[in-house]
């Protein structure tokens, strides 16, 4: 069983299709009132959730866990891009990038990681980083994006350390 957030995007669609081909039970989150936007060859469950709202995410993850005994993996693909260096990146632009690229992943990760720690086989949580988050030269023209993506690398390191004895990565 795999959860895919951002399933309606280009990367999400490709992941949904690949995981269905490989025989996984795919669970996708969608923005309330929206559909995946593409035809799926296979069985997929969708759950509506505003991933920028922590309470909404907690509720939908709890529903998913109640329906499925084990969550093997989660691909957290929600995100966005904005250009702009220090001069152009005001607080509102910075918050938007943090909300889309970090907060959405963090909100899903919190309850899901706890679930995976309790599972016999552990689990995998996959974040999508980017080169601008790692190479300052590449990030200087997309500061909010680079900073928000860099937090995902740090979060992954912390979770890998915490989950190493439980086979949660």
């Amino acid at each position: 069983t795999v959860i895919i957030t951002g399933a309606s995007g280009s990367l999400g669609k490709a992941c949904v299709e690949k995981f269905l081909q490989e025989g996984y039970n795919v669970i996708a989150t969608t923005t309330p009132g929206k559909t995946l936007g593409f035809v799926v060859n296979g069985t997929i469950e969708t759950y509506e959730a505003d991933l920028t709202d922590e309470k909404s995410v907690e509720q939908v993850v709890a529903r998913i866990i109640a329906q499925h005994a084990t969550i093997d993996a989660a691909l957290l693909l929600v995100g966005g891009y904005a250009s702009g260096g220090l001069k152009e990146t005001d607080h509102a632009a910075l918050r938007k990038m943090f909300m889309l690229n970090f907060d959405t992943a963090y909100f899903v990760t919190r309850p899901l990681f706890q679930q995976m720690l309790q599972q016999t086989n552990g689990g995998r949580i996959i974040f999508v980083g980017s080169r601008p988050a790692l190479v300052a030269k590449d990030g200087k023209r997309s500061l909010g994006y680079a900073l928000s993506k860099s937090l995902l690398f740090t979060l992954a390191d912390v979770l890998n350390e915490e989950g190493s004895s439980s086979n949660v990565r």
Side-chain angles (χ1 to χ4, degrees):
T1 300
V2 61
I3 297 173
I4 302 175
T5 69
S8 62
S10 297
L11 179 58
K13 179 182 177 187
C15 290
V16 165
E17 290 171 349
K18 180 64 175 173
F19 276 87
L20 286 172
Q21 288 172 3
E22 296 295 323
Y24 280 80
N25 178 25
V26 175
I27 300 166
T29 62
T30 60
T31 301
K34 296 196 176 182
T35 64
L36 285 177
F38 59 91
V39 177
V40 177
N41 292 323
T43 303
I44 184 170
E45 295 175 59
T46 58
Y47 289 80
E48 289 187 357
D50 176 357
L51 298 185
T52 66
D53 180 308
E54 188 171 17
K55 293 295 179 201
S56 174
V57 173
E58 287 173 356
Q59 291 170 355
V60 80
V61 171
R63 284 188 8 238
I64 292 169
I65 290 170
Q67 297 257 335
H68 302 275
T70 301
I71 307 298
D72 300 298
L75 282 68
L76 307 182
L77 308 179
V78 170
Y81 175 83
S83 62
L86 184 63
K87 181 179 178 182
E88 299 84 15
T89 306
D90 62 11
H91 184 255
L94 192 63
R95 283 301 316 140
K96 182 177 180 182
M97 285 293 94
F98 276 63
M99 182 60 71
L100 284 173
N101 294 313
F102 179 74
D103 291 355
T104 57
Y106 185 75
F107 294 161
V108 174
T109 297
R110 281 190 67 228
L112 205 50
F113 187 79
Q114 298 306 313
Q115 170 65 22
M116 289 178 173
L117 287 174
Q118 297 173 25
Q119 297 175 172
T120 305
N121 294 331
R124 301 292 182 261
I125 299 175
I126 294 95
F127 303 116
V128 176
S130 68
R131 185 175 172 87
L134 299 172
V135 180
K137 179 181 175 187
D138 295 337
K140 69 182 182 181
R141 289 190 177 83
S142 56
L143 183 63
Y145 176 76
L147 289 173
S148 63
K149 287 293 190 175
S150 71
L151 286 174
L152 291 175
F153 287 106
T154 302
L155 180 59
D157 288 342
V158 170
L159 295 176
N160 282 335
E161 185 63 34
E162 186 174 337
S164 63
S165 64
S166 302
N167 196 30
V168 179
R169 306 307 263 155

